[in-house]
Amino acid sequence: MSKLTVIIPSFNEEDNIENTAKTIGETLSGAGIEYDLLFVSDGSTDQTFDIVEKLSKADKRIGGIQFSRNFGKEAAIFAGLDYAKGDCVAVIDCDLQHPPATLVEMYRLWEEGYEVVEGIKSKRGRENPFYKLFCAIFYGIMSSLMKMDLNKTSDFKLLDRKVVEALLDLPERNTFFRALSFWAGFKSTSVTFDVAERKAGKSKWSFSGLVKYAISNTTSFTTAPLKAVFVLGVLLMVFSLVLGVETLVNYFLNIAADGFTTVILLLLIIGGCIMISLGIMGHYLARIYEEVKGRPRYIVSRTTSDED
Ligand code: UDP
Ligand code: MG
């Protein structure tokens, strides 16, 4: 019989682990699905991994790995894909914001032959308006670049083994899991789900964390900002041609304004554009630097099978 591996990225989720394992386990066995749970403790500093170890001793279907430090959710997901043994693999949040019942729905679609089952949020959960606006802008840009609606997508997905292998074959370190499953292609479908309230603990996102996430995902997925620099250059060029002609005409007509204001404004605008362009290029340079260094995506310090 085929097996489903459920990857659960967990960062300081000590209050959730036990309940999450129980809820997901009961839902899947209730539906007669053979499964194992893989908790990826993303450098948790609380009891998260100890609880996973305890559960693992009582139930062999539960296992986990612990990172040496916090490497981020993306790294946790990819570590999960690396370690997963199932014929299909699902990723679900540890706070039960993704309903486990949807896993069953996803699994049935996989049995019907779909290789990628995307979890689409029917509506976003309760979020503060500032966060919502930020997400809308970021996903608006990303969606138009990638020609798909990312705003409602999530990391909640089920992938066939073939897709997992394809994603693991990608050499890059800066990945964006949410969009990569679209990018990879394969026979896909989606299910919608309602985002539940977080069961316990707090969301791990800070505003600066989100900004970093947005920038890193944009630069890892598209070179559009670099092209925008070129467009900006062309616009400035046209602007300066018009202004240049006007200035020369005025000069020869002897009505040239002794305008300091214009000069200062121009200096500021062009200076600003140059700095932004350098910044954008700098980001890509940093990306290349990080990729070239070839450091691993994550470092595992412990796994639950260590003692066996
Ligand atoms: N998470 C993680 N590493 C991190 C941050 C979060 O593995 O650095 C996990 C977290 O434990 C949870 C999931 O990613 O299972 C989603 O995180 P969270 O609930 O904080 O985000 P939100 O639901 O608010 O977007
Ligand atoms: Mg959450």
Side-chain angles (χ1 to χ4, degrees):
M1 197 181 146
S2 31
K3 194 165 77 175
L4 162 71
T5 298
V6 183
I7 300 171
I8 313 166
S10 325
F11 176 46
N12 291 343
E13 302 275 12
E14 58 184 4
D15 297 331
N16 282 316
I17 301 288
E18 216 158 340
N19 179 38
T20 301
K22 187 163 154 268
T23 316
I24 298 180
E26 279 170 2
T27 312
L28 293 177
S29 21
I33 298 171
E34 198 188 322
Y35 68 93
D36 56 12
L37 305 183
L38 176 59
F39 285 94
V40 184
S41 166
D42 185 9
S44 304
T45 48
D46 63 359
Q47 295 294 306
T48 299
F49 193 70
D50 302 313
I51 300 174
V52 174
E53 269 185 326
K54 193 186 86 194
L55 296 177
S56 170
K57 290 208 177 90
D59 183 346
K60 278 288 152 229
R61 287 172 299 187
I62 300 176
I65 53 183
Q66 160 83 352
F67 284 178
S68 57
R69 65 164 168 87
N70 182 253
F71 281 89
K73 191 181 175 189
E74 283 290 311
I77 293 174
F78 271 84
L81 296 180
D82 262 336
Y83 278 75
K85 299 209 178 70
D87 305 285
C88 60
V89 176
V91 179
I92 190 168
D93 277 3
C94 191
D95 51 9
L96 290 184
Q97 286 195 288
H98 301 154
T102 309
L103 275 178
V104 178
E105 216 181 310
M106 289 175 156
Y107 187 83
R108 298 287 173 241
L109 287 164
W110 175 76
E111 283 181 320
E112 280 172 30
Y114 289 101
E115 292 158 320
V116 176
V117 187
E118 304 278 351
I120 305 285
K121 300 172 187 163
S122 59
K123 59 177 180 1
R124 300 184 65 100
R126 199 141 54 87
E127 289 163 340
N128 82 48
F130 193 49
Y131 177 83
K132 243 187 178 131
L133 179 73
F134 180 81
C135 290
I137 295 174
F138 167 59
Y139 285 121
I141 296 171
M142 289 295 283
S143 306
S144 68
L145 290 175
M146 300 187 48
K147 296 175 188 62
M148 61 192 198
D149 184 10
L150 278 173
N151 197 28
K152 297 214 165 58
T153 56
S154 64
D155 290 327
F156 187 26
K157 304 175 196 288
L158 186 142
L159 309 175
D160 183 78
R161 168 95 348 233
K162 256 189 282 178
V163 185
V164 173
E165 297 302 329
L167 293 187
L168 288 177
D169 271 347
L170 298 176
E172 70 223 53
R173 266 155 209 86
N174 284 292
T175 44
F176 184 27
F177 179 68
R178 197 166 291 197
L180 273 178
S181 59
F182 285 91
W183 173 88
F186 290 97
K187 191 168 176 224
S188 311
T189 184
S190 59
V191 292
T192 50
F193 68 93
D194 289 326
V195 182
E197 288 286 310
R198 189 175 233 288
K199 274 284 173 295
K202 280 205 297 271
S203 172
K204 308 296 177 306
W205 290 108
S206 61
F207 182 68
S208 67
L210 276 174
V211 173
K212 261 199 229 148
Y213 181 72
I215 292 179
S216 120
N217 286 329
T218 317
T219 49
S220 79
F221 225 88
T222 159
T223 50
L226 283 177
K227 290 170 193 149
V229 169
F230 177 70
V231 174
L232 186 71
V234 172
L235 288 179
L236 270 181
M237 184 84 164
V238 172
F239 181 59
S240 58
L241 269 180
V242 174
L243 213 68
V245 170
E246 198 218 359
T247 312
L248 276 179
V249 170
N250 284 349
Y251 178 78
F252 286 117
L253 293 177
N254 266 335
I255 51 167
D258 42 9
F260 246 139
T261 325
T262 332
V263 176
I264 288 174
L265 276 181
L266 275 179
L267 267 177
L268 288 178
I269 293 170
I270 294 183
C273 290
I274 292 176
M275 297 303 273
I276 288 178
S277 309
L278 277 178
I280 292 176
M281 288 194 275
H283 262 290
Y284 282 91
L285 200 64
R287 266 295 105 83
I288 297 172
Y289 171 69
E290 281 161 20
E291 294 287 343
V292 165
K293 268 194 304 190
R295 289 195 180 155
R297 240 178 228 160
Y298 57 86
I299 298 172
V300 171
S301 64
R302 286 158 75 194
T303 71
T304 45
S305 53
D306 277 353
E307 313 93 75
D308 295 344

